[in-house]
Amino acid sequence: MTTPVTPDPPASAPLLDLQALVVSVRRRRRLWGSTALLGLLLGATVAVLLPPPPTAVAKVLVAHQQDQPNDPGTLIRTDAALLHTTRIAGAALRSLESPEKPEDFLADYEGRGLTNNLLQITVTGDSDAQAVARAGALADAFVADHVRRMREAADAEARSLLDQRERLREELDQVNEAIGDESDGSPPQGGAQDSASMESLFARRAELTSRITDFGQRAAEARVGTPRLVAATQIVDAPRVVRHSLPGTAGTNAAIGLVLGLALGLAVAAVASVVADRPVLRRDVAANLGASVIAELPRRPARLWRRRRSRAARARLTTSLARTVRGSTEPVSLLELGCARGASLIALDLARFLAREEPVVVIDGLPGSRLSGHRREPGDPPVTGTEQAHAIPGTLAGPHPGGGLPAPAEPAAAGGEPVPAGGRRLGVGSVAPGTAWADLRYLGTRTVLVVRAGHGSAAWLHTVARQLADLRIAVIGVVLTDPDPRDRTDGTLWDGPHTALRGGSEPAARRNGGGTSHAVQAAGEGPRRAERLPTPAARVPDSDQEAR
């Protein structure tokens, strides 16, 4: 006796599937690769077409009265800001006798603090000589302005101290007069009281004398310290021309452009992938179409060292599809989405393979001449259009009880050849936007979808699945072209319809003796169809999947 286990509730879908996003961005490598290359070329072009102007640089050692070992660089940043003022720019222009406006000159230079006391001045000009002259004049103007400000500050401090000393001297004179009045020889009146008053006057005079001396010393030190600061403020690196290397500048600009272009391209690719919502992974394509992925084929032409592998993959796909079509009592079609050329090649390979055993007619329902325009080889099966297919008796009524087509009146094929009577039909059509859905049943009541990964949106894949279900066209499986080589997801729907080559529905149809398969009858039964499906453990793996 087994205890029933309550299944866990399905986890909610994430808002953003990072794996699908990474794959989508990687598939758009042409976009972000192009933007990166464009950024690289633009950076190199700017370096060549817009070379930097002649530039001169000078370094000034700046001494501050408030220098502290733990200064975070506030004083030197203040000096750099003062350098970028119209007063210093005007002084430099006056020394150069230049008619240029100080406001315009401010855009031609900049100051940057290298350390707490080292200021670097960078100046541009029309020529190397002009740039050097501007840098020298600007450095001299800044040093003169800094020295003047230090002297004015020292003089202001000294004057303030001297003014304080003069006020104390006046108060000292008043105290001396009071002492003189007390000791002018007049007879004492109070005794002990007069003695205490004299002591306080003498103490006040001593205090005032000490403070006067202190203010005098501080005023002298304020003026004495200024020459030391003035001597320390000087130009330590004379103005010199900065040499620019064109290859180095071009390489730097190209690298910056490459990084910016790559970042922009990746951002655009990521946003476009999220907005477009085009399934790329096997599991997403299978989930949106409601059918399992039974095979994969590269869309782009294989390289020289991979052509043998590509031919082997096409041969395996042809064998697998031929086994499925051969065992089907209903006409089978190939419906493409985003890979009309690939679907036409698969159809021709499959028709040639089946033509070895029985007559085959290919019904071309593709737009344009993608199938009929292929170069014909001797012995290729005939290709007819949907107009001739409509004329074949029994097209909508189902296949002939013998497994082939009813004997038509031999309508002409596209190449002028008669359609063989009693042959097998193989339809090729499209489910791209603008499809005439009513014509799809003329191509076949069972179909294999040939879908290019990342071509159709999730909404359109749902539309295709819904339209095919309404038309009672059973989907055998999905052939995914141009898959991502790093995709490791499973494209099998274990809880989906049993038309995905996992046991098949054709044997059941033969046992029932009907002309229409059980899969087609169950297409409109809704969710109850899954209740009659065998469990995945009871299904026997198809040999096609093992070969794949």
Side-chain angles (χ1 to χ4, degrees), residues 60-131:
V60 179
L61 180 63
V62 184
H64 304 96
Q65 191 173 5
Q66 299 85 10
D67 275 338
Q68 298 293 333
N70 57 352
D71 180 33
T74 306
L75 297 177
I76 198 66
R77 286 196 297 269
T78 302
D79 293 332
L82 290 173
L83 175 69
H84 210 261
T85 56
T86 56
R87 183 176 66 181
I88 296 180
L93 292 175
R94 285 192 297 271
S95 64
L96 293 173
E97 298 180 356
S98 173
E100 186 177 1
K101 295 181 179 180
E103 293 80 3
D104 299 335
F105 185 41
L106 292 176
D108 296 338
Y109 71 89
E110 65 176 1
R112 183 167 63 93
L114 302 180
T115 64
N116 290 346
N117 297 97
L118 191 60
L119 179 66
Q120 177 177 288
I121 302 174
T122 304
V123 188
T124 60
D126 297 335
S127 62
D128 293 342
Q130 184 185 24

Side-chain angles (χ1 to χ4, degrees), residues 10 66 126 185-186 192 207 229 237 263 269 272 276 288 301 340 343 373 442 464-465 502:
Q66 299 85 10
D126 297 335
S186 58
E207 180 185 357
L229 297 176
D237 191 0
N288 286 280
Y442 290 98
V464 171
R502 293 198 307 260

Side-chain angles (χ1 to χ4, degrees), residues 6 22 36 39 116 224 276 303 305 322 324 398 423 431 441 445 499 502 527:
T6 303
V22 170
N116 290 346
V224 168
R303 297 181 176 90
W305 58 88
T324 302
V431 289
R441 277 189 65 84
T445 54
T499 57
R502 293 198 307 260

Side-chain angles (χ1 to χ4, degrees), residues 208-276:
L208 292 175
T209 303
S210 175
R211 293 181 62 184
I212 290 171
T213 304
D214 179 59
F215 280 121
Q217 291 177 353
R218 290 171 59 185
E221 290 175 358
R223 291 177 175 174
V224 168
T226 302
R228 178 177 57 83
L229 297 176
V230 170
T233 303
Q234 56 182 324
I235 301 174
V236 294
D237 191 0
R240 55 183 177 83
V241 177
V242 178
R243 300 298 178 185
H244 297 283
S245 174
L246 181 59
T249 304
T252 302
N253 292 354
I256 296 175
L258 175 66
V259 173
L260 294 179
L262 180 61
L264 178 62
L266 290 175
V268 172
V271 173
S273 300
V274 174
V275 173

Side-chain angles (χ1 to χ4, degrees), residues 317-335:
L317 174 62
T318 302
T319 303
S320 176
L321 293 180
R323 187 181 300 112
T324 302
V325 173
R326 191 187 299 115
S328 174
T329 60
E330 302 178 13
V332 179
S333 64
L334 300 178
L335 302 180

Side-chain angles (χ1 to χ4, degrees), residues 231 356 457:
R356 302 173 186 174
S457 63

